[in-house]
Amino acid sequence: MKYLVTGGAGYVGSVVAQHLLESGHEVTVLDNLSTGFRAGVPAGAAFIEGDIRDAAKWLDRSYDGVLHFAAFSQVGESVVKPEKYWDNNVAGTLALLGALREAGVRKLVFSSTAATYGEPEQVPITEDAPTRPTNPYGASKLAVDHMITSEAHAHGLAAVSLRYFNVAGAYGAYGERHDPESHLIPLVLQVAQGRRDAISIYGDDYPTPDGTCVRDYIHVADLADAHLLALTAANPGEHLICNLGNGNGFSVRQVIETVREVTGHPIPEVVAPRRGGDPAVLVAAADTAREKLGWNPSRAELAGIVADAWEFAQNLSKEN
Ligand SMILES: NC(=O)c1ccc[n+]([C@@H]2O[C@H](COP(=O)([O-])OP(=O)(O)OC[C@H]3O[C@@H](n4cnc5c(N)ncnc54)[C@H](O)[C@@H]3O)[C@@H](O)[C@H]2O)c1
């Protein structure tokens, strides 16, 4: 099959593109390199340096589907520059959906997020939980989910939205290199590499066993498996929404301790005030993905996730 991967020069898109290639598919990456890297595009994929808003220039009937990762995803930035998020994530996806329709490409897998739920009333979070995002990033992703639902119902698109919880780990040469980095595991690894002095813990008085926030970390390769399964499970006229997480929560302190064990570095920590809008616990109920996609994540162990991310971070710093 032939797939267009938007955002395939970024973290998750590059890993999924590599999985598609390894499964024998033909892959074209469309990425404007706004936050991605040319080196992130897997060898074997065709590359178009361009914007999703111009996707109509390149999409045609030869494509069997689109995997749509291209977006801005910095929560803090979305609060101070919301227009940037509405424009890229929502208007950009609206243009992409139009291009798919025009070209007769009728399959889409979309990167949604746990941020669509906001502060949960209950954990683990199921897909029918209330969606009350607490920042423009989450709101923009929720708006896209609504757009995709109506596109599926009105125009027969076969669509799956995958709501990722905390993606982590690496897959060979493909891993996380956001700039600025905002995700916990790569930040703690930067301390191990001597690139920052200490890791900040934002609040240690949450109602959790050790007082720090609890999150559901999912290996990026398990996430990639779900995308390939979603391409098979998508049905015309339907929009399936699935959470992707392991259902296990790890606290910030547990993550830091695991990085100490994996890297052998002491990892100094500093307790800072809570950040607004950080829920105490975010853990996924991923039963829908297991039942409807046949997804079975196999890399749930935190030490393994951290070890893969550590290997990637060390190789990256040797290259630079
Ligand atoms: N990383 C996570 O933990 C996480 C969690 C939940 C959801 N997501 C979602 O997954 C997707 C991928 O995240 P990531 O961590 O790989 O981010 P990333 O920033 O590494 O990748 C995004 C890619 O999209 C490209 N891009 C952005 N706007 C574009 C546009 N208008 N046209 C063409 N290319 C464009 C960027 O250059 C980049 O290569 C995003 O949609 C994000 O919202 C990520």
Side-chain angles (χ1 to χ4, degrees):
M1 297 285 179
K2 181 176 173 185
Y3 294 112
L4 183 76
V5 177
T6 77
Y11 171 40
V12 183
S14 66
V15 173
V16 175
Q18 177 63 18
H19 274 71
L20 287 166
L21 290 166
E22 286 173 13
S23 302
H25 300 295
E26 196 181 329
V27 174
T28 302
V29 166
L30 170 62
D31 197 303
N32 64 7
L33 302 182
S34 51
T35 61
F37 300 86
R38 180 65 183 86
V41 179
F47 177 57
I48 300 168
E49 184 172 347
D51 198 285
I52 50 170
R53 296 172 188 84
D54 301 321
K57 285 188 200 163
W58 305 289
L59 261 181
D60 61 39
R61 224 169 245 286
S62 69
Y63 286 95
D64 295 289
V66 172
L67 297 102
H68 178 33
F69 301 91
F72 292 140
S73 57
Q74 297 276 344
V75 169
E77 183 188 58
S78 81
V79 174
V80 290
K81 292 184 187 163
E83 65 285 2
K84 190 173 165 183
Y85 284 72
W86 295 113
D87 179 38
N88 199 37
N89 297 3
V90 179
T93 303
L94 188 63
L96 179 67
L97 287 176
L100 271 128
R101 206 182 311 121
E102 292 259 303
V105 179
R106 298 287 69 200
K107 191 178 284 192
L108 178 74
V109 176
F110 172 61
S111 303
S112 188
T113 167
T116 54
Y117 297 111
E119 181 80 41
E121 281 170 10
Q122 281 186 329
V123 281
I125 301 171
T126 51
E127 291 85 358
D128 59 1
T131 41
R132 290 190 289 250
T134 52
N135 52 68
Y137 164 64
S140 73
K141 289 281 176 169
L142 181 60
V144 172
D145 275 341
H146 287 310
M147 275 164 43
I148 293 173
T149 303
S150 55
E151 179 74 20
H153 293 168
H155 302 301
L157 185 71
V160 180
S161 285
L162 299 173
R163 289 191 173 156
Y164 316 160
F165 280 60
N166 285 56
V167 190
Y171 185 68
Y174 308 103
E176 201 164 4
R177 50 195 298 190
H178 298 118
D179 183 18
E181 188 54 76
S182 60
H183 294 138
L184 180 63
I185 291 176
L187 285 174
V188 188
L189 291 175
Q190 288 181 5
V191 181
Q193 288 182 307
R195 294 170 56 201
R196 60 178 69 228
D197 296 336
I199 188 72
S200 297
I201 297 176
Y202 296 102
D204 65 352
D205 56 353
Y206 284 93
T208 59
D210 67 16
T212 65
C213 288
V214 169
R215 295 291 181 267
D216 187 335
Y217 294 91
I218 172 162
H219 197 295
V220 67
D222 280 339
L223 202 76
D225 291 343
H227 287 75
L228 272 73
L229 292 165
L231 287 168
T232 311
N235 289 316
E238 281 179 27
H239 180 207
L240 176 65
I241 298 180
C242 300
N243 289 341
L244 293 182
N246 284 309
N248 286 328
F250 293 98
S251 71
V252 173
R253 284 222 160 92
Q254 282 176 305
V255 170
I256 296 170
E257 194 49 44
T258 304
V259 174
R260 289 188 181 116
E261 284 159 18
V262 168
T263 65
H265 191 279
I267 315 284
E269 52 185 61
V270 176
V271 177
R274 288 183 180 197
R275 290 181 302 200
D278 264 350
V281 181
L282 285 179
V283 172
D287 306 78
T288 307
R290 289 172 191 275
E291 283 160 25
K292 303 266 180 171
L293 306 182
W295 184 58
N296 191 14
S298 59
R299 304 161 184 94
E301 203 207 336
L302 185 60
I305 294 175
V306 169
D308 287 351
W310 178 226
E311 192 180 334
F312 173 77
Q314 286 175 297
N315 289 336
L316 192 63
S317 59
K318 273 184 221 148
E319 280 168 28
N320 296 329

